[in-house]
């Protein structure tokens, strides 16, 4: 669920398995029996299709905001292939078999890229933000596949010019770099999404957060919401691999956005569904509230809703429609509803789709359970290599989907993984902490992990582990700190000083992981003082100076939390900082202005000298400008500051 980019190596390793298989697939049969005089035509057709596809993708200009940068990067890289394709098209001699093999493989990658880019162009905005990690994995897979194809290009046989060879070689280098983990660019978005889908966080219905998310996802108008509803319906009804949990999260957030606009909040679940094959309108009472498919074996639960066995199997104890905690999880067949559905189908000559054979699904599930059981058993092995292999594979499984996270936890893996955190082997430590990070995406697992006493060991790895282990430890602390009791535990366990150290001296990714964790921890009042004592202010101020890192809004958001603390105001309220705030209010991005105005308002509300200092730097005229052109929140803050200035002048 979590929108954060959690585990690059696991993604890369999982893709490599697939790529080895793909690389070994034989497509020679596509070239069998093609006469020599026809080979040129086939070659030109393939080249033409590749060029046309790339040029088509270059015409797309409207990608979803959450993947926009990556989409344009991918298209830019694909365009480098066009001169290369033109040289292949101009090759006059009979095309060698290796050329046809190369072009067929390249075509497959280009078509996969087209499918991904079209998803990012017209897919559900909520889904693309919610599963941004999964989408990023697909980009990495494209880069991996394209690189594998290009490094085997038969340049000499095709007599490709040195200039074009150099361009392709440069592209391969770009693809290798692109396969590295890409961090979440908008930490606030990641935090807000986690809050919205938390069952325990009281802010999950906060209208300010919902409004901010709607703005970030560009779902603020009724027309936007209509388009998103259509995209979600297509996603829910057609995407077979979408988990129940993900479907519910998407629909819940859409309904919250609709409430902001005064639109009926149950449209997706209750609007008439038209069956594509018959054009019949299916009564919503006949549809499963989770899958939105016509029910074949409806059942009754404590709230009267049907069809949720898989929902229960995924570890949920609430009604998927109402969100109500259930008194019991017992299921009873609803024969009356089943008879009504059958009568309606008979009257309308509607054939219920054949139920997928449960044997295959059950077998898959049993095989997965068996695999997890063997891995859990291997975690306790006396053989070091067996432990290493087991925790590495479990890391992959925990990343894969929500069901695996529940399976792994139910198999008793968490206590063993926590024990491995203190194992004197850096590789095992790194994989163990990353596996726990991936498992912690599940709300129930957060508590299981902290109850096993994992937090002190994670903090130890944060202090002394490998670079990647330290970064993933910071991300794990962020995930665990979504529970308020864990915010307290992390603070009392001295987890804040090493996070501040990572914020100051870590890599770009490390700084972002630390920043995210510190933001969440600073929501706790006692942790504000601990963060200030740990020296958080200076690295935050440094982030404001280095705009290339792209962490200004996040740094200002933490500073806003800290200025509510007396020691925070004292540490932050330097004249140079006031000047920096005014500078952001003057010429920052809309979000910069909003955050900077909020910080200045908090400072000025407690000490009028901060307002007087800001006036020296010309803040008044910039505030007036924001009242007419800033974001809604920025306008409110600017108006409050202007009122504060007026009071200060009267005094």
């Amino acid at each position: 669920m979590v929108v954060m980019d959690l585990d690059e190596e696991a993604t890369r390793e999982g893709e490599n398995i697939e790529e080895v298989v793909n690389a070994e697939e034989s497509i020679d049969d596509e070239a069998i029996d093609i006469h020599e005089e026809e080979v040129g035509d086939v070659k030109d057709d393939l080249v033409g299709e590749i060029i046309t596809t790339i040029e088509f993708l270059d015409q797309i200009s409207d990608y979803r905001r959450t993947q926009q940068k990556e989409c344009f990067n991918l298209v830019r890289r694909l365009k480098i292939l066009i001169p290369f394709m033109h040289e292949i098209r101009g090759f006059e001699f009979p095309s060698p078999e290796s050329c046809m093999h190369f072009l067929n493989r390249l075509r497959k990658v280009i078509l996969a890229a087209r499918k991904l880019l079209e998803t990012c162009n017209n897919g559900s905005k909520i889904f693309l933000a919610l599963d941004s990690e999964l989408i990023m994995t697909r980009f990495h897979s494209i880069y991996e596949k394209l690189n594998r194809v290009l490094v085997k290009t038969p340049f000499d046989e095709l007599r490709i010019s040195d200039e074009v060879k150099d361009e392709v070689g440069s592209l391969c280098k770009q693809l290798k770099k692109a396969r590295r983990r890409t961090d979440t660019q908008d930490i606030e978005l990641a935090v807000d999404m986690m809050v919205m889908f938390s069952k325990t966080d009281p802010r999950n219905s906060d209208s300010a957060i919902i409004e901010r998310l709607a703005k970030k996802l560009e779902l603020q108008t009724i027309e936007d919401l209509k388009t998103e509803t259509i995209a979600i319906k297509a996603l829910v009804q057609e995407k077979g691999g979408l988990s129940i949990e993900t479907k519910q999260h998407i629909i819940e957030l859409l309904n919250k956005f609709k409430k902001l606009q005064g639109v009926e909040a149950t449209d997706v679940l209750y609007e008439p569904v038209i069956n594509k094959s018959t054009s019949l309108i299916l009564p919503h009472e006949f549809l499963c509230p989770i899958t939105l498919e016509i029910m074949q074996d409806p059942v009754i639960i404590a709230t009267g809703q049907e069809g949720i066995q898989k929902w229960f199997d995924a570890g949920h104890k609430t009604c998927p429609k109402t969100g109500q905690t259930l008194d019991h999880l017992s299921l009873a067949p609803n024969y009356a509803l089943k008879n009504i559905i059958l009568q309606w189908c008979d009257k309308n000559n509607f054939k219920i789709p054949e139920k997928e054979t449960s044997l295959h699904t059950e077998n898959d599930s049993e095989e997965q359970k068996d695999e997890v059981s063997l891995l859990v058993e291997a975690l306790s092995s006396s053989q070091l290599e067996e432990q290493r292999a087991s925790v590495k594979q479990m890391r992959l499984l925990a990343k894969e989907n929500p069901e695996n996270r529940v399976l792994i936890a139910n198999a008793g893996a968490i206590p063993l993984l926590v024990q491995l955190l203190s194992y004197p082997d850096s590789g095992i430590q790194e994989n163990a902490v990353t596996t726990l990070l991936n498992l912690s995406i599940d709300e129930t697992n957060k508590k299981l992990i902290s109850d096993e006493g994992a937090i002190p060991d994670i903090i130890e790895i944060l202090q002394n582990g490998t670079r990647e282990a330290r970064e993933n430890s910071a991300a794990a602390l962020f995930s665990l700190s979504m529970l308020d009791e864990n915010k307290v535990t992390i603070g009392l366990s001295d987890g804040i000083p090493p996070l501040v150290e990572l914020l100051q001296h870590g890599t770009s990714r490390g700084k972002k992981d630390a920043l995210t964790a510190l933001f969440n921890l600073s929501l706790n009042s006692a942790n504000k003082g601990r963060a200030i004592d740990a020296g958080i202010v200076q690295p935050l101020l440094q982030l404001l100076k280095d705009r290339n890192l792209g962490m200004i809004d996040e740094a200002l958001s933490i500073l806003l939390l800290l200025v509510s603390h007396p020691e925070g105001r004292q540490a932050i309220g330097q004249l140079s900082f006031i000047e920096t705030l005014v500078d952001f209010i003057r010429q920052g991005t809309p979000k910069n202005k909003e955050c900077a105005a909020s910080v200045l308002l908090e400072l000025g509300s407690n000490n009028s000298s901060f307002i007087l200092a800001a006036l020296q730097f010309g803040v008044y005229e910039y505030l007036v400008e924001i009242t007419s052109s800033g974001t809604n929140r920025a306008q409110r803050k600017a108006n409050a500051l202007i009122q504060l200035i007026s009071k200060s002048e009267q005094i």
Side-chain angles (χ1 to χ4, degrees):
M1 174 274 296
V2 195
V3 288
M4 295 183 64
D5 188 358
L6 297 178
D7 182 4
E8 176 246 354
E9 184 177 328
T11 299
R12 188 166 61 243
E13 291 161 351
E15 290 168 8
N16 286 345
I17 295 172
E18 175 191 353
E19 290 308 311
V20 169
V21 174
N22 288 342
E24 293 176 352
E25 286 181 349
S26 173
I27 58 171
D28 292 341
D29 57 324
E30 296 179 22
I32 291 176
D33 293 332
I34 296 179
H35 294 89
E36 187 173 288
E37 63 271 17
E38 297 174 326
V39 171
D41 292 337
V42 175
K43 177 203 71 176
D44 289 345
D45 288 345
L46 286 171
V47 170
E49 182 180 0
I50 291 170
I51 292 175
T52 301
T53 302
I54 294 174
E55 289 176 342
F56 166 76
L57 295 174
D58 190 35
Q59 297 303 310
I60 300 176
S61 59
D62 183 23
Y63 291 108
R64 300 315 192 205
R65 186 174 176 180
T66 44
Q67 283 79 29
Q68 190 176 68
K69 180 179 178 181
E70 205 59 52
C71 288
F72 285 128
N73 283 340
L74 176 54
V75 173
R76 175 177 54 80
R77 289 162 181 146
L78 292 178
K79 285 168 63 180
I80 296 174
L81 296 173
I82 291 180
F84 179 31
M85 291 296 102
H86 283 307
E87 285 209 3
I88 293 179
R89 175 183 273 172
F91 184 72
E92 297 178 354
F93 298 92
S95 301
E97 184 178 330
S98 58
C99 174
M100 303 307 299
H101 182 81
F102 162 74
L103 288 174
N104 273 292
R105 293 182 66 209
L106 181 59
R107 172 183 172 273
K108 289 182 178 180
V109 179
I110 300 300
L111 292 180
R114 173 174 177 164
K115 184 176 181 181
L116 174 58
L117 290 167
E118 287 179 335
T119 297
C120 295
N121 169 242
N122 55 32
S124 161
K125 295 178 180 179
I126 297 175
F127 168 72
L128 290 169
L130 178 62
D131 268 5
S132 60
E133 180 187 359
L134 172 64
I135 301 301
M136 200 64 237
T137 297
R138 291 177 63 185
F139 276 103
H140 288 159
S141 178
I142 297 294
Y143 299 145
E144 176 74 22
K145 291 177 181 178
L146 187 55
N147 185 59
R148 284 181 177 273
V149 171
L150 293 178
V151 295
K152 294 184 179 180
T153 303
F155 289 115
D156 294 336
E157 296 179 56
L158 294 171
R159 301 182 183 180
I160 301 300
S161 67
D162 290 340
E163 181 182 355
V164 170
K165 280 200 296 188
D166 289 342
E167 289 179 355
V168 174
S170 175
L171 174 58
C172 288
K173 290 179 181 178
Q174 292 181 38
L175 294 171
K176 287 180 181 178
K177 290 181 180 179
R179 294 197 328 255
R180 296 181 304 188
R181 168 177 169 172
T182 301
D183 294 284
T184 302
Q185 296 299 310
D186 192 334
I187 294 179
E188 186 178 60
L189 175 65
V191 173
D192 286 348
M193 293 288 276
M194 289 190 73
V195 168
M196 280 296 102
F197 302 132
S198 171
K199 299 299 183 185
T200 57
D201 196 312
R203 297 170 295 156
N204 60 16
S205 297
D206 189 316
S207 60
I209 296 178
I210 298 171
E211 183 180 342
R212 188 162 62 225
L213 275 174
K215 183 174 182 179
K216 283 182 178 291
L217 298 181
E218 298 175 336
L219 292 172
Q220 293 180 284
T221 69
I222 293 177
E223 193 60 37
D224 289 338
L225 292 171
K226 285 181 179 178
T227 303
E228 178 68 6
T229 300
I230 294 170
I232 289 175
K233 282 185 176 180
L235 181 74
V236 170
Q237 294 174 21
E238 296 175 9
K239 189 172 179 65
L242 204 63
S243 71
I244 293 172
E245 183 180 36
T246 299
K247 290 179 185 177
Q248 284 302 117
H249 284 328
I250 291 171
I251 293 170
E252 286 171 8
L253 188 53
L254 176 67
N255 285 340
K256 289 177 180 179
F257 291 157
K258 288 186 174 182
K259 285 182 180 179
L260 282 181
Q261 301 299 326
V263 178
E264 175 62 36
T266 54
D267 287 354
V268 173
L269 291 176
Y270 299 110
E271 279 182 351
V273 176
I274 300 177
N275 182 266
K276 292 182 179 180
S277 60
T278 64
S279 297
L280 275 174
I281 295 178
L282 306 180
H284 67 77
E285 297 90 346
F286 297 173
L287 304 178
C288 171
I290 296 170
T291 65
L292 297 185
E293 296 171 353
I294 193 164
M295 290 184 283
Q296 301 178 47
D297 293 304
V299 295
I300 301 174
I301 60 172
T303 60
Q305 308 304 328
E306 295 85 6
I308 61 163
Q309 182 60 60
K310 193 174 181 182
W311 175 258
F312 290 161
D313 291 342
H316 298 281
K317 297 181 175 64
T318 58
C319 172
K321 182 186 288 188
T322 66
Q324 176 184 344
T325 301
L326 300 172
D327 296 330
H328 59 80
L329 304 184
S330 302
L331 300 175
N334 191 336
Y335 294 116
L337 179 58
K338 184 171 183 177
N339 286 333
I340 293 173
I341 292 174
L342 291 175
Q343 290 172 15
W344 181 90
C345 290
D346 184 58
K347 179 180 178 181
N348 291 278
N349 197 26
F350 177 81
K351 184 178 180 182
I352 297 180
E354 289 187 13
K355 196 171 184 179
E356 292 183 6
T357 173
S358 61
L359 181 60
H360 177 69
T361 304
E362 290 175 4
N363 286 343
D364 287 346
S365 178
E366 288 303 317
E367 288 177 8
Q368 195 78 311
K369 287 180 181 178
D370 291 341
E371 180 183 2
V372 169
S373 296
L374 291 173
L375 290 174
V376 171
E377 185 179 339
L379 289 179
S380 304
S381 172
S382 59
Q383 301 297 318
L384 183 62
E385 288 305 317
E386 191 173 351
Q387 284 184 310
R388 281 178 178 162
S390 174
V391 72
K392 194 172 185 179
Q393 182 61 26
M394 192 170 289
R395 170 179 176 171
L396 293 172
L397 288 177
K399 179 181 176 61
E400 203 169 274
N401 57 53
E403 288 77 13
N404 283 353
R405 292 171 200 133
V406 174
L407 272 179
I408 291 170
N410 290 344
I414 289 177
L416 297 172
L417 288 166
V418 172
Q419 291 177 21
L420 291 179
L421 292 176
S422 55
Y423 201 89
D425 180 279
S426 60
I428 287 179
Q429 277 189 356
E430 182 180 306
N431 283 317
V433 77
T434 308
T435 305
L436 289 171
L437 163 61
N438 293 335
L439 290 174
S440 71
I441 297 173
D442 181 270
E443 290 294 311
T444 303
N445 288 347
K446 283 180 172 60
K447 184 165 178 55
L448 292 175
I449 292 168
S450 55
D451 286 350
E452 285 296 327
I455 288 175
D457 290 327
I458 293 174
I459 293 172
E460 177 67 25
I461 294 175
L462 175 62
Q463 291 173 312
N464 303 307
T466 64
R467 178 186 60 79
E468 184 172 350
R470 292 179 65 210
E471 292 168 351
N472 287 345
S473 295
L477 291 178
F478 162 70
S479 181
L480 293 173
S481 67
M482 294 303 294
L483 299 182
D484 286 339
E485 60 266 32
N486 287 344
K487 290 183 179 69
V488 176
T489 302
I490 293 168
L492 292 174
S493 302
D494 291 328
I496 291 177
L499 285 171
V500 172
E501 171 70 17
L502 186 62
L503 178 65
Q504 190 161 19
H505 301 294
T507 63
S508 177
R509 174 196 158 186
K511 290 178 187 288
K512 289 183 178 181
D513 286 331
L515 197 64
T516 310
L518 287 165
F519 173 84
N520 218 30
L521 289 169
S522 296
L523 294 170
N524 176 272
S525 180
N527 285 340
K528 294 177 185 177
R530 296 186 180 105
I532 294 165
D533 292 341
I536 190 176
V537 172
Q538 283 309 311
L540 287 176
L541 297 181
Q542 189 59 41
L543 289 179
L544 297 182
K545 295 177 183 178
D546 192 348
R547 303 196 180 198
N548 292 329
L549 290 174
M551 303 185 208
I552 291 172
D553 292 336
E554 293 80 3
L556 286 172
S557 296
I558 296 182
L559 288 168
L560 178 59
L561 293 174
L562 298 180
V563 295
S564 65
H565 192 283
E567 292 181 16
R569 290 192 292 275
Q570 184 177 353
I572 293 168
Q574 309 161 17
L575 193 62
S576 60
F577 177 62
I578 301 300
E579 185 176 10
T580 299
L581 282 181
V582 174
D583 190 48
F584 282 125
I585 291 172
R586 177 175 66 90
Q587 61 177 6
T589 66
K591 184 61 179 176
N592 290 165
K593 293 179 180 181
E594 177 185 313
C595 291
S598 299
V599 175
L600 182 58
L601 178 61
E602 184 67 29
L603 283 170
S605 299
N606 288 278
N607 190 330
S608 60
S609 64
F610 293 124
I611 294 293
L612 296 175
L615 286 172
Q616 295 177 24
F617 298 113
V619 74
Y620 187 85
E621 62 181 284
Y622 311 139
L623 292 174
V624 172
E625 183 181 343
I626 289 176
T627 59
S628 60
S629 62
T631 65
N632 291 338
R633 188 165 181 262
Q635 288 180 12
R636 292 196 299 270
K637 299 298 181 182
N639 281 317
L641 275 167
I642 290 173
Q643 292 177 11
L644 199 59
I645 290 171
S646 299
K647 290 180 181 178
S648 299
E649 291 176 342
Q650 291 173 6
I651 294 173

